[in-house]
Amino acid sequence: MERTRILIVHRDNNSRREIHNILSRFDFEITYADDGLQGLHTAKYIKPHLIISQVEISGLDGIELASQCRKEESLKNVLLILLHDQLDLKIINDAKSVDARAFLIKPYIDNSMIYAIKRALGEEHLEINLSKAPASYESCKSRVMTGYRYHYA
């Protein structure tokens, strides 16, 4: 079975590390982008199964990123989880309008993140496989997209 590709689009390195620590127990192929524009270009390149994006990012915000993905034939069915620092009903409605599968508020707690991914992808994608998962955030830092160049470990 093909590994599930997840793109994490978040401006804050500590938050990316926090999300990585939650996801590292599973056999996901994880790629990172620092802003929405990088996220869109990266998504076009890697064709992720799931995008986990912060709402308030530069370039394109998370809602605009989702909207642009919906316009791309190869990305229109990509699953989306949006993250925000606070509860905001307007942003929740915007998230629904772009068919986001979940809206999580910081701090991103293991159980809520895993539950959101499980609902989006299905339980079969959440088999724990520590032998294949990256050992640490640092081990896949080279997968952070910088500019428009792509670096892979």
Side-chain angles (χ1 to χ4, degrees):
M1 183 161 105
E2 171 185 26
R3 287 176 72 193
T4 301
R5 291 180 304 280
I6 296 180
L7 173 61
I8 298 171
V9 184
H10 207 295
R11 68 174 181 238
D12 179 58
N13 192 50
N14 290 329
S15 293
R16 284 193 302 262
R17 181 185 326 263
E18 187 179 323
I19 295 166
H20 173 85
N21 289 338
I22 294 169
L23 300 181
S24 65
R25 292 173 279 182
F26 306 98
D27 186 22
F28 295 132
E29 183 181 315
I30 305 170
T31 306
Y32 302 89
D34 295 324
D35 66 41
L37 197 52
Q38 289 176 5
L40 181 61
H41 289 287
T42 303
K44 288 178 183 179
Y45 184 74
I46 69 165
K47 309 285 190 284
H49 297 98
L50 173 67
I51 297 174
I52 300 174
S53 178
Q54 181 180 22
V55 171
E56 293 180 336
I57 50 178
S58 60
L60 300 171
D61 70 26
I63 302 295
E64 292 168 335
L65 170 62
S67 180
Q68 290 298 315
C69 285
R70 298 296 179 242
K71 293 176 184 176
E72 289 287 325
E73 186 62 33
S74 64
L75 298 173
K76 69 180 180 182
N77 295 319
V78 70
L79 302 169
L80 181 71
I81 295 175
L82 291 174
L83 311 172
H84 201 265
D85 293 338
Q86 60 190 10
L87 181 62
D88 184 319
L89 295 178
K90 182 195 177 318
I91 293 175
I92 290 173
N93 285 331
D94 290 345
K96 287 179 183 177
S97 74
V98 293
D99 196 29
R101 297 298 172 110
F103 182 86
L104 300 177
I105 301 165
K106 196 170 184 178
Y108 316 123
I109 299 168
D110 285 26
N111 291 343
S112 59
M113 177 74 70
I114 291 169
Y115 180 73
I117 293 169
K118 181 177 171 180
R119 286 191 63 208
L121 293 172
E123 195 161 339
E124 67 275 6
H125 293 271
L126 289 174
E127 294 178 22
I128 292 177
N129 189 341
L130 295 175
S131 66
K132 293 184 181 178
S136 68
Y137 176 68
E138 282 70 26
S139 72
C140 61
K141 252 183 148 173
S142 63
R143 295 185 67 79
V144 175
M145 299 301 153
T146 55
Y148 299 107
R149 297 172 302 146
Y150 299 101
H151 302 278
Y152 290 96

